[in-house]
Amino acid sequence: MESRNTQLAVGFFVIIGVLALLFLGLRAANTNFSSNGETYKLYAKFDNIGGLKERSPVKVGGVVVGRVSKITLDGDYYEPLVEMTISKDYDEFSDTSSVSILTSGLLGEQYIGLSPGFIDDTVEMLDDGDYIHDTKSALVLEDLIGQFLFSQGND
Amino acid sequence: MTSAQMDDLIVIENLDFAHSYGAHQVYKGLSLRIPRGKITAIMGPSGIGKTTLLRLIGGQLKPQRGTIEFAGYNIPELSRSHLYEQRKRMSMLFQSGALFTDMSVYDNIAFPLREHSKLSEEIIETIVLMKLEAVGLRGARHLMPAELSGGMARRAALARAIALDPELIMYDEPFAGQDPISMGVIVKLIKSLNNSLGLTSVVVTHDVAEVLTIADKVVIIADKKVVAEGSPEELKNSDDPLIHQFLSGEADGPVPFHYRAPSLAEEILGAQQGESHAG
Amino acid sequence: MLDRIAGLGKAVLDSIAGAGQAMVMLLRALIGKPQLRKSWPLLMQQMYSVGVLSLIIIVVSGLFIGMVLGLQGYTILVDFGAEQSLGPMVALSLLRELGPVVTALLFAGRAGSALTAEIGLMKATEQLSSLEMMAVDPLRRVISPRFWAGFYSMPLLALIFSAVGIYGGYLVGVRWLGVDDGAFWSVMQANVEWGQDILNGIIKSLVFAFVVTWIALHKGYHCVPTSVGISRATTSTVVTASLAVLGLDFVLTALMFG
């Protein structure tokens, strides 16, 4: 009988552990976009990526649809090339879509804002490995101040 | 006794042994024969490595040199699985009893049966009760080892040691720390088990009087080797001073009272020459 | 001078020999065909004494650490107007670091020391020798079930710790200090990821489980079988295992999140 009680206790222990895992997985973690789900890759070249990092989110109208998976320098002129991993749930972006590097709040993290382009018969859809050509770089504070001073001087 | 029964179960030849730690040599050129079906007492001053000898026979330690044959198998050279095979034929009663503290007496004795046989629980129960009856502890089967007195624990351990009906049983200091009554009980048990089960018994002890009453053969070990062997009568009649000292329990003699040390005078006076030993 | 160098050499050789002994012990305990009929009840028994009996200390510590995290996090974040980030702060610290690490430290103190002392005593009272003489391998019979029990229990304990800790942070942050309920969970969900956070936390606690249990069993199995030897081995288990956990945690964190 003692061994039966032991087995019961161990059984409950394992159940509690699995419940904890379920709680963590369903309640605490983001289940909408999991990195295990099916994804495809898009690329974009920027002049300046500012503070963008790997794993920064890619958002459409504030909704996370993917993450930055790799940042490299590409080509003869060493332009920053950003690889984005986008969830297969959102695979209907046209090649007129544009991406820009934005900042959440005043001091927040930088992320990529993806604006879907118009769709008609003449435009094609973006597929795995395609490039988005319409890009806006990150705002760099020093450049802004420089522009501001320059425009002041012109007056 | 026919000559077939007189052959030797254990033959030790030319054994050298030293523990891996420290350079202290325990045995040098020790040779020993243990006759089948008899009670052999191995005696000697404490600290002489008598328990070590049992562990060597059980294959728990490996000698540097020499052979230990158990029923024709050279124990130190056996592979692990063959050694475990042979160990099923021997058993050992440890000084502390070594009962498993997390099991009842009953489960302790059933343990080797459950491990090594595929017997059903009913048959195991019968065997366990028989073994407990043999040591007089059938009523104590539900107790835990912590609830047993020292003597009872040793008897329970003895029941466990004979659970698999081994050919050889080794007793490590079975009388140490026992009151006279339980000592008498254990002496009687060793004798009766040996006769009724046809065991070969090896008793390591320094309780001379008890063991001489039951031993068929006595081996005295001192100074890293066997110094005397024979029947109890032969040894009692021997005029070797060491045997005499040991059997009659004199404090000083060939086995010195003092542990190896420079003489007291030298040590106190700070003499440089420290080679001569006391005693 | 030469004596010191020799002493250093001896210390190095001894520790290599110790590591070798531990390795041999583990390999011999784990290799070989498992006998399910016999080892299952043994595993249950050990899961009980290693896992179930550690549950209370894990739950209580998890709850309090989560509550403290909630309180401290709130007072810091509220200055930046970022108290809505309390959820991810609590969840990420627990899942990535505190869950696996604190569980491993508590486990070393609660279950590891008990394992060392138990095996050391079995050695001192000749129970291990007696198993050997009964032709039962103590490594398979004694060491192996305890090892697996520790290996399975600790990740479960770490998960429970993290879950209870997040609940503790929720109690303090939302129920007491008034962080918005929806924001607490949704910002947490936006920042916590399966693979990156939960899975890596589980991998960490599997590594810690392996190391802590191994150290505890090795210290017990190779202890000097006297009362002083056992008490030293027990202390050494807690110290060595804790240091190993903290050191490994740094390495793992650098590999996973660096």
Side-chain angles (χ1 to χ4, degrees), chain C residues 169-208:
Chain C
Y170 166 81
L171 278 184
V172 167
V174 175
R175 289 294 170 86
W176 182 25
L177 297 170
V179 175
D180 181 61
D181 190 14
F184 184 85
W185 294 112
S186 62
V187 181
M188 186 191 297
Q189 282 174 7
N191 285 278
V192 177
E193 265 187 42
W194 253 105
Q196 182 72 8
D197 301 314
I198 298 182
L199 208 61
N200 276 346
I202 294 176
I203 293 172
K204 268 190 180 180
S205 62
L206 280 172
V207 174
F208 296 159

Side-chain angles (χ1 to χ4, degrees), chain A residues 2 6-7 9-10 13-14 16-18 20-21 23-31 33-36 55 67, chain C residues 40 44-45 47-48 51-52 55 95 153 156-157 159-160 162-163 166 185 188-190 192-196 198 202:
Chain A
E2 190 201 348
T6 309
Q7 291 186 352
V10 174
F13 171 52
V14 174
I16 295 173
V18 172
L21 180 65
F23 168 78
L24 293 175
L26 298 179
R27 190 79 218 238
N30 180 2
T31 43
F33 173 72
S34 73
S35 47
N36 306 334
R55 294 194 20 80
R67 291 196 183 273
Chain C
W40 182 251
M44 283 295 117
Q45 188 63 43
M47 284 284 281
Y48 181 78
V52 176
L55 204 52
L95 286 169
S153 295
L156 290 173
L157 290 171
L159 286 171
I160 295 170
S162 297
I166 289 173
W185 294 112
M188 186 191 297
Q189 282 174 7
V192 177
E193 265 187 42
W194 253 105
Q196 182 72 8
I198 298 182
I202 294 176

Side-chain angles (χ1 to χ4, degrees), chain B:
Chain B
M1 292 284 168
T2 65
S3 63
Q5 285 168 303
M6 286 298 290
D7 63 351
D8 298 321
L9 183 65
I10 299 173
V11 180
I12 298 175
E13 296 281 1
N14 232 343
L15 183 75
D16 283 8
F17 179 77
H19 284 289
S20 52
Y21 51 88
H24 178 58
Q25 187 84 23
V26 182
Y27 297 122
K28 190 152 185 66
L30 179 122
S31 298
L32 185 62
R33 285 163 180 275
I34 291 171
R36 199 187 289 269
K38 297 291 179 66
I39 299 176
T40 305
I42 297 178
M43 300 199 284
S46 34
I48 208 75
K50 298 188 293 290
T51 307
T52 307
L53 184 63
L54 296 188
R55 286 180 191 267
L56 281 163
I57 296 173
Q60 291 186 312
L61 297 172
K62 276 204 190 318
Q64 276 78 32
R65 201 165 68 87
T67 58
I68 302 168
E69 281 189 11
F70 169 77
Y73 295 93
N74 186 13
I75 294 288
E77 282 177 0
L78 287 182
S79 72
R80 204 175 157 69
S81 53
H82 284 116
L83 177 62
Y84 272 73
E85 230 14 77
Q86 291 312 310
R87 277 183 185 161
K88 291 181 191 170
R89 301 171 61 187
M90 47 174 103
S91 81
M92 183 152 164
L93 181 67
F94 287 86
Q95 198 169 342
S96 57
L99 291 171
F100 302 125
T101 39
D102 55 346
M103 302 178 190
S104 70
V105 169
Y106 178 91
D107 288 329
N108 259 289
I109 293 154
F111 179 84
L113 296 163
R114 288 177 182 152
E115 281 296 318
H116 292 308
S117 70
K118 292 195 163 37
L119 299 175
S120 69
E121 272 303 309
E122 292 88 66
I123 299 178
I124 288 180
E125 183 175 356
T126 317
I127 298 176
V128 171
L129 292 183
M130 274 165 52
K131 304 296 178 189
L132 278 171
E133 177 71 20
V135 298
L137 286 180
R138 199 160 43 84
R141 74 187 105 152
H142 296 304
L143 297 180
M144 296 301 281
E147 300 170 290
L148 299 179
S149 71
M152 283 160 79
R154 214 162 288 185
R155 276 149 69 192
L158 182 54
R160 185 179 66 181
I162 57 173
L164 280 177
D165 293 326
E167 294 168 43
L168 168 72
I169 177 160
M170 296 183 276
Y171 300 88
D172 185 8
E173 301 282 5
F175 313 116
Q178 300 287 311
D179 65 74
I181 298 173
S182 32
M183 209 185 265
V185 170
I186 290 172
V187 168
K188 183 175 148 276
L189 275 175
I190 295 175
K191 182 77 185 165
S192 64
L193 288 176
N194 196 75
N195 292 347
S196 59
L197 300 178
L199 293 165
T200 304
S201 307
V202 179
V203 185
V204 156
T205 183
H206 44 234
D207 289 288
V208 175
E210 282 71 29
V211 81
L212 284 188
T213 58
I214 53 167
D216 299 305
K217 177 179 179 178
V218 178
V219 178
I220 298 180
I221 297 179
D223 196 23
K224 300 166 194 161
K225 57 183 184 294
V226 173
V227 293
E229 55 183 317
S231 68
E233 286 71 33
E234 286 167 16
L235 291 188
K236 273 181 199 158
N237 299 331
S238 161
D239 43 10
D240 185 315
L242 190 141
I243 298 172
H244 186 73
Q245 182 202 359
F246 192 77
L247 293 186
S248 54
E250 288 159 13
D252 214 346
V255 175
F257 168 69
H258 292 283
Y259 189 76
R260 203 153 27 97
S263 78
L264 187 63
E266 282 171 16
E267 197 149 88
I268 291 173
L269 299 174
Q272 294 300 308
Q273 235 55 25
E275 280 308 302
S276 66
H277 295 172

